[in-house]
Amino acid sequence: MFVDEVIIYAKAGDGGDGCPSFRRESKVPRGGPDGGDGGDGGSVIVQAEENVNSLANIAGHRHWNAERGGHGEGKLRTGRKGKDAIILVPPGTLVRDLARGHLLRDLKEVGDSVIIAKGGRGGRGNKHFATAVHRAPREFEPGSPGDERKVTLELKVIADVGLIGKPNAGKSTLLSRLSRAHPEIANYPFTTKFPNLGQVRVGFDRQFVVADIPGLIEGAHSGVGLGHEFLKHVERTKILVHLIEPDPQDQTDPFDNYRQIHDELRLYDATLIERPEIIVVSKSELPGAAELAELMSEELGKPVLQLSAVTGKGLPQLIQTILATMDANDDKDAF
């Protein structure tokens, strides 16, 4: 099960109370105060973890409570600190305050973390209240309460390459051929219900992550179908590989399908159409694929690749084009 948005309630641990204690020993009739401080409460922390790829692991765990701090004890013994509650999420998770709606942290990299509910501070024992005049204080501080907060966790898949296109354009099949991912594949539209990720290794020192973005339809930018849920995952990709089916089952025009997806990206976020784009005519084993690629290349004024994920034709060229585009993009970022 793939889950990319969850609302959770976080309650940090309360701080432990300080202790009102006095030293009791033989031959020490007036030992004075020796009450220890309370321990700090644990915090609730959201942390990006490498081996987590969905929010499904916390979908059924909506309440997160950290441990409260221990109370102080005599002989100046400080209470035990409460254990933190750590929520592991995939890299690319946005953490937002539900009440105010502001972004707390964008957990882009593995190891990034944010405290969403800070633990309460432990109270001071009566030792802190002793003075030259007030030598036997009975005052002590109770621990402060831990923070409470509701937050929204929203996952936007991070990938180097995003596969986009109409439903049944061959994105899942291509992902399975490029990597070891095993997405659901069938010969009907709307097969993919959620993004699939796969890692492509080239030689010993090169690799990149590919995301199969579920098929987009007209009106996706305004939320038609599952448009917003799908389009938000495109935002994180560095390069777009646009797959075009030469003979769509719904008898639509392949060129019109390309323009439609292009318009949906522009209407959702104008910066998306500025991303490096590799146009690929998929299912090149079908009649008319070569003619379509040539026509689109003339009309758009850019190369259009041909690919058959079934036979493997064109896969090496696509991989090399992706690597060259990544290198060119990295050079631009360097300046």
Side-chain angles (χ1 to χ4, degrees):
M1 181 176 63
F2 182 88
V3 179
D4 57 7
E5 188 166 341
V6 174
I7 296 175
I8 63 172
Y9 167 80
K11 172 65 174 73
D14 298 335
D17 297 338
C19 176
S21 173
F22 293 90
R23 184 179 174 188
R24 295 287 189 269
E25 293 183 28
S26 61
K27 300 181 182 179
V28 185
R30 297 179 182 179
D34 68 348
D37 301 338
D40 295 336
S43 299
V44 182
I45 302 171
V46 180
Q47 179 175 313
E49 180 70 15
E50 183 176 13
N51 297 321
V52 180
N53 56 17
S54 169
L55 298 176
N57 60 317
I58 59 175
H61 189 175
R62 300 298 178 90
H63 289 76
W64 292 81
N65 300 296
E67 190 178 47
R68 70 162 299 145
H71 299 312
E73 299 179 9
K75 298 183 179 179
L76 298 177
R77 288 178 292 188
T78 301
R80 183 171 57 86
K81 185 184 184 301
K83 291 183 180 179
D84 297 330
I86 300 178
I87 306 172
L88 300 179
V89 298
T93 300
L94 300 175
V95 184
R96 298 183 185 276
D97 183 275
L98 183 63
R100 299 181 180 180
H102 64 282
L103 180 67
L104 298 175
R105 183 80 187 273
D106 184 357
L107 306 178
K108 293 183 179 180
E109 304 292 338
V110 173
D112 288 350
S113 64
V114 59
I115 298 175
I116 60 175
K118 187 172 180 57
R121 186 173 180 179
R124 295 182 296 172
N126 64 340
K127 175 67 175 178
H128 291 276
F129 297 91
T131 65
V133 178
H134 188 34
R135 297 184 178 182
R138 297 185 181 276
E139 298 92 335
F140 68 95
E141 280 183 344
S144 60
D147 294 339
E148 299 181 50
R149 174 183 271 166
K150 283 187 177 181
V151 300
T152 301
L153 304 179
E154 180 185 1
L155 173 61
K156 292 185 179 181
V157 169
I158 294 179
D160 298 302
V161 179
L163 305 179
I164 61 173
K166 284 284 210 170
N168 208 41
K171 300 182 296 296
S172 297
T173 305
L174 176 58
L175 177 66
S176 67
R177 290 300 303 269
L178 288 173
S179 68
R180 294 183 178 181
H182 299 286
E184 180 184 355
I185 300 173
N187 190 29
Y188 54 84
F190 303 103
T191 302
T192 305
K193 301 296 192 299
F194 50 82
N196 290 296
L197 291 178
Q199 188 175 66
V200 181
R201 293 187 178 274
V202 185
F204 295 99
D205 58 344
R206 297 299 300 271
Q207 62 185 28
F208 56 88
V209 177
V210 180
D212 165 21
I213 308 298
L216 302 173
I217 61 175
E218 186 174 5
H221 72 279
S222 59
V224 173
L226 295 176
H228 285 170
E229 284 79 357
F230 293 168
L231 280 165
K232 68 183 179 182
H233 295 293
V234 182
E235 295 181 65
R236 298 285 195 176
T237 58
K238 301 175 183 177
I239 300 171
L240 299 177
V241 174
H242 196 149
L243 295 183
I244 303 161
E245 187 179 9
D247 186 20
Q249 290 184 352
D250 57 4
Q251 303 302 311
T252 54
D253 182 74
F255 215 142
D256 289 341
N257 290 340
Y258 169 78
R259 292 193 183 98
Q260 188 180 100
I261 297 298
H262 199 263
D263 289 342
E264 291 301 324
L265 295 176
R266 177 179 56 81
L267 292 171
Y268 178 75
D269 184 351
T271 63
L272 291 178
I273 61 174
E274 299 174 4
R275 305 274 173 89
E277 180 187 43
I278 302 172
I279 304 173
V280 180
V281 173
S282 62
K283 306 179 182 180
S284 64
E285 72 276 6
L286 298 178
E291 291 79 3
L292 175 62
E294 184 177 353
L295 175 63
M296 293 194 68
S297 179
E298 292 178 358
E299 290 287 334
L300 299 175
K302 61 174 69 174
V304 176
L305 304 181
Q306 298 180 54
L307 171 73
S308 174
V310 175
T311 64
K313 178 183 177 181
L315 280 176
Q317 183 183 4
L318 174 60
I319 292 174
Q320 292 305 316
T321 303
I322 290 173
L323 291 175
T325 305
M326 291 177 61
D327 292 340
N329 200 44
D330 289 342
D331 291 340
K332 290 180 180 179
D333 293 341
F335 293 100

